[in-house]
Amino acid sequence: MPTTPEMSMDMTTDLTAVGDTGLLDTLQHEVALFARRAEQTRLGGVGQVRNSMDRAAYLLLNRLDKEGPMGVKALAASMGIDSSTVTRQVAPLVDTGLVKRTSHPEDGRAVVLQLSPRGKSRLEEVRSSRRQLMAELTQDWAPEEREQFCALLTRFNGALSARMSVQPEDRPAS
């Protein structure tokens, strides 16, 4: 859907109605700091597992674990990334035995990716380490605060994902 100058103006007006400029500046700054710190630590967890799995590998393994075996195109679509990116990111996971690559049962030309038993074990090890890190970082939070933060972060990620799925020409002007 194309935007008009009036629509862009309305979007700007709507954004300022959401909160004052100072609050939005603080929010964007805190998100930028979070992104940097998350990347620096990879939120890898604690102990020997700390920083032992990069973000792309973790997200791919996690998706295969939650959704089951699937083709490259389906995996790419479910993650909102390009098939060539998935192919490139999956290659080292196959090489290290964390993911199995098999032929599709109905179409032998198509590839199906599946979490291997070794991959499942490794993923659980990393998840456990990351859970421990989250527990440490939020140890002085009330359970309701953890739930609220998780709900808001999930909502924020959903909004980012929805925005990224809109074609650039359809995005409102900033």
Side-chain angles (χ1 to χ4, degrees), residues 63-70 113-115:
R63 184 65 53 124
L64 287 171
D65 184 47
K66 292 195 180 304
E67 295 184 20
M70 66 180 77
L113 301 170
Q114 180 177 3
L115 194 61

Side-chain angles (χ1 to χ4, degrees), residues 10-25 27 155-156:
D10 289 345
M11 185 61 148
T12 303
T13 304
D14 289 346
L15 285 176
T16 55
V18 169
D20 66 44
T21 303
L23 179 64
L24 295 174
D25 284 346
L27 178 60
R155 185 174 168 191
F156 186 79

Side-chain angles (χ1 to χ4, degrees), residues 99-118:
V99 170
K100 292 190 302 187
R101 194 181 310 197
T102 59
S103 296
H104 191 282
E106 295 166 15
D107 178 0
R109 298 169 296 169
V111 172
V112 175
L113 301 170
Q114 180 177 3
L115 194 61
S116 71
R118 182 170 184 250

Side-chain angles (χ1 to χ4, degrees), residues 56-157:
Y58 177 78
L59 292 172
L60 284 167
L61 294 177
N62 197 56
R63 184 65 53 124
L64 287 171
D65 184 47
K66 292 195 180 304
E67 295 184 20
M70 66 180 77
V72 171
K73 286 183 181 179
L75 183 56
S78 74
M79 296 184 71
I81 57 179
D82 189 72
S83 293
S84 63
T85 302
V86 168
T87 300
R88 188 178 75 259
Q89 292 175 348
V90 163
L93 301 175
V94 171
D95 292 344
T96 57
L98 300 177
V99 170
K100 292 190 302 187
R101 194 181 310 197
T102 59
S103 296
H104 191 282
E106 295 166 15
D107 178 0
R109 298 169 296 169
V111 172
V112 175
L113 301 170
Q114 180 177 3
L115 194 61
S116 71
R118 182 170 184 250
K120 183 135 178 97
S121 172
R122 183 76 181 99
L123 179 60
E124 187 47 45
E125 182 180 43
V126 171
R127 278 182 182 154
S128 176
S129 176
R130 290 179 178 198
R131 270 194 299 276
Q132 186 177 348
L133 176 63
M134 294 300 108
E136 288 178 15
L137 293 174
T138 62
Q139 68 185 348
D140 60 344
W141 295 19
E144 305 81 41
E145 290 174 312
R146 284 181 178 168
E147 289 174 17
Q148 184 178 25
F149 182 71
C150 189
L152 289 171
L153 191 55
T154 300
R155 185 174 168 191
F156 186 79
N157 280 327

